[in-house]
């Protein structure tokens, strides 16, 4: 079966700069969901979202914008905005687990409110021709919540539902609940994409064997931790290219250059890169000491030297 690999968005990480660098250096991702657009009560698109969705900034990537809202007017406003930019689809986030979001009945806090979901989908389909897809968890409190939503979703031509096989209460911790994901497959006619903990080729293969009907896979944190992952999944190999560290450095340097242009001051640039290292380090378990040094630097020059030392030492291993 041919697999479609989707970059599952990470707000603060998978912006257009990251997407372009990933695409240029590694490939393997077919579609990128952009991190969500959220309006804070005003029908107004913030410049940061404008830049991220601007087609000129996304020339080499297939991007699908995402919204997080519990309001039909907001949905329609953003649908109109992205349509003007040339997008045909808007993905709806019903997965975000953070209390600041869920307490306001958004993200995974909206899953338990089937009538609200129905009302929003009804208006969106009546008033717009935007293609709607959804990204959900299986619930906030328990993984059966989604089963009360599936029947109403049958009324709408939802393109697909990406399901992160956790509940909101778990945040990003604990295991994915594959039995509950299986139950989801049995309770909907909609096209389901799998999401959660695809962190290695081996993990992917286990999921592929367990869910033979799934052919769309969403990779979130695993993509940042190991940007080689999608192309290795596609090539069905667990072997990294022989110049792994050279390729990683080129990718890293492009991100550094991009963020240095965007941000001012060594501190902000290093902080941004350090956030990425929180994920990169997962692929280099034996080099925590060197990575700690990278994250502790204060001047860009020291940062670059620390990265160079790390790459040199790792090149001896890989
Ligand atoms: C820091 C962070 C930011 C995220 N931002 C978004 C987002 O903007 N939209 C979204 O649908 N999911 C978001 N997610 C969830 C991921 O897309 C993904 O669903 C989740 O991490 C599970 O997949 P994974 O195990 O492959 O990472 C975010 C996750 C993290 C850790």
């Amino acid at each position: 079966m041919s697999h479609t690999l989707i970059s599952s968005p990470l707000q603060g990480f998978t912006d257009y700069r990251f997407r372009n660098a990933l695409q240029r250096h590694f490939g393997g991702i077919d579609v990128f969901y952009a991190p969500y657009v959220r309006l804070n009560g005003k029908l107004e698109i913030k410049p940061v979202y404008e830049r991220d969705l601007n087609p000129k900034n996304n020339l080499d990537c297939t991007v699908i914008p995402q919204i997080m809202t519990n309001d039909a007017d907001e949905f329609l406003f953003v649908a109109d905005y992205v349509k003007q930019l040339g997008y045909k689809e808007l993905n709806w986030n019903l997965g975000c687990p953070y209390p600041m979001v869920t307490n306001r009945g958004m993200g995974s806090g909206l899953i338990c409110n089937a009538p609200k979901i129905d009302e929003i989908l009804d208006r969106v389909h009546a008033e717009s021709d935007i293609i709607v897809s959804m990204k959900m968890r299986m619930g906030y409190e328990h993984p059966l919540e989604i089963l009360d939503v599936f029947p109403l979703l049958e009324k709408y031509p939802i393109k697909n539902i990406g399901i992160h096989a956790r509940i909101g209460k778990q945040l990003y911790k604990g295991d994915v609940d594959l039995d509950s994901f299986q139950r989801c497959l049995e309770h909907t006619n909609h096209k389901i994409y799998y999401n959660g903990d695809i962190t290695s080729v081996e993990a992917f293969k286990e999921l592929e064997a367990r869910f033979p009907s799934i052919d769309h896979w969403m990779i979130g944190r695993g993509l940042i931790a190991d940007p080689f992952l999608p192309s290795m999944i596609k090539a069905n190999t667990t072997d990294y290219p022989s110049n792994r560290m050279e390729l990683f450095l080129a990718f890293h340097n492009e991100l550094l250059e991009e963020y240095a242009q965007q941000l001012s001051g060594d501190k902000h640039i290093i902080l941004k890169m350090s956030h990425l290292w929180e994920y990169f380090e997962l692929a280099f378990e034996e080099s925590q000491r060197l990575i700690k040094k990278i994250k502790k630097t204060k001047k860009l020059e020291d940062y670059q030297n620390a990265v160079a030392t790390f790459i040199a030492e790792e090149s001896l291993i890989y």
Side-chain angles (χ1 to χ4, degrees), residues 5-35:
L5 300 184
I6 295 148
S7 161
S8 197
L10 265 74
Q11 189 73 251
F13 291 91
T14 62
D15 58 11
Y16 73 91
R17 293 181 160 92
F18 177 91
R19 298 194 292 265
N20 288 328
L22 187 106
Q23 193 71 332
R24 216 177 339 267
H25 293 276
F26 303 101
I29 287 290
D30 300 289
V31 177
F32 293 82
Y33 282 151

Side-chain angles (χ1 to χ4, degrees), residues 59-308:
L59 291 176
D60 299 325
C61 304
T62 302
V63 173
I64 296 175
Q66 187 187 63
I67 182 171
M68 187 162 70
T69 187
N70 58 4
D71 181 274
D73 288 324
E74 284 190 2
F75 200 122
L76 287 161
F77 176 79
V78 173
D80 203 38
Y81 175 72
V82 299
K83 272 179 58 189
Q84 279 171 34
L85 295 177
Y87 296 102
K88 296 195 165 34
E89 176 180 345
L90 184 57
N91 182 263
W92 189 14
N93 178 324
L94 275 78
C96 185
Y98 292 118
M100 264 172 41
V101 165
T102 56
N103 288 342
R104 293 180 186 159
M106 281 190 274
S108 60
L110 184 55
I111 301 170
C112 62
N113 192 348
K116 187 84 186 163
I117 297 171
D118 199 12
E119 175 203 313
I120 292 171
L121 288 174
D122 186 53
R123 271 200 60 204
V124 167
H125 285 94
E127 295 175 37
S128 171
D129 61 358
I130 194 86
I131 295 170
V132 177
S133 59
M134 297 173 74
K135 177 165 178 281
M136 303 179 74
R137 292 199 184 210
M138 299 182 297
Y140 182 81
E141 286 288 339
H142 63 78
L144 297 175
E145 286 170 35
I146 196 170
L147 300 185
D148 291 333
V149 183
F150 280 145
L152 76 90
L153 297 184
E154 297 295 322
K155 290 191 287 180
Y156 302 102
I158 309 288
K159 180 171 156 258
N160 61 267
I161 307 167
I163 298 183
H164 176 191
R166 285 192 171 84
I167 52 173
K169 215 167 61 171
Q170 282 181 272
L171 300 174
Y172 293 95
K173 293 178 249 163
D175 290 336
V176 282
D177 177 354
L178 299 182
D179 291 338
S180 295
F181 181 80
Q182 175 65 42
R183 194 170 45 220
C184 289
L185 296 180
E186 289 156 11
H187 282 82
T188 178
N189 291 311
H190 281 302
K191 173 94 181 166
I192 299 295
Y193 296 0
Y194 176 85
N195 174 227
D197 289 3
I198 302 177
T199 52
S200 64
V201 175
E202 292 86 346
F204 172 78
K205 285 190 158 195
E206 279 175 30
L207 289 161
E208 181 192 22
R210 169 122 190 214
F211 302 114
S213 66
I214 299 288
D215 59 2
H216 284 65
W217 306 87
M218 302 175 61
I219 312 178
R221 294 163 294 174
L223 179 64
I224 306 175
D226 189 355
F228 291 90
L229 183 57
S231 50
M232 284 166 63
I233 290 174
K234 290 257 171 88
N236 191 20
T237 179
T238 51
D239 294 333
Y240 286 91
S242 55
N243 58 346
R244 173 181 178 179
M245 295 315 295
E246 196 185 309
L247 294 171
F248 177 77
L249 181 64
F251 170 66
H252 166 278
N253 286 351
E254 179 170 334
L255 288 175
L256 179 62
E257 257 174 52
E258 286 286 329
Y259 291 125
Q261 270 177 31
Q262 180 202 0
L263 302 164
S264 62
D266 290 9
K267 193 174 143 199
H268 290 118
I269 301 165
I270 293 171
L271 187 65
K272 181 83 189 175
M273 296 308 293
S274 295
H275 289 154
L276 286 163
W277 279 101
E278 297 289 331
Y279 289 102
F280 293 159
E281 69 185 11
L282 302 173
F284 300 106
E285 269 175 16
E286 273 127 55
S287 305
Q288 300 300 313
R289 186 181 52 83
L290 290 175
I291 293 174
K292 226 181 201 172
K293 279 195 177 164
I294 294 174
K295 291 194 289 187
K296 271 194 176 162
T297 57
K298 302 224 166 354
K299 289 196 185 131
L300 205 47
E301 199 186 331
D302 296 338
Y303 172 86
Q304 281 166 309
N305 288 336
V307 171

Side-chain angles (χ1 to χ4, degrees), residues 34 37 49-55 58 63 65 81-82 85 87:
V37 170
Y49 300 138
E50 272 174 12
R51 276 195 298 276
D52 197 48
L53 295 176
N54 186 337
N58 291 285
V63 173
Y81 175 72
V82 299
L85 295 177
Y87 296 102

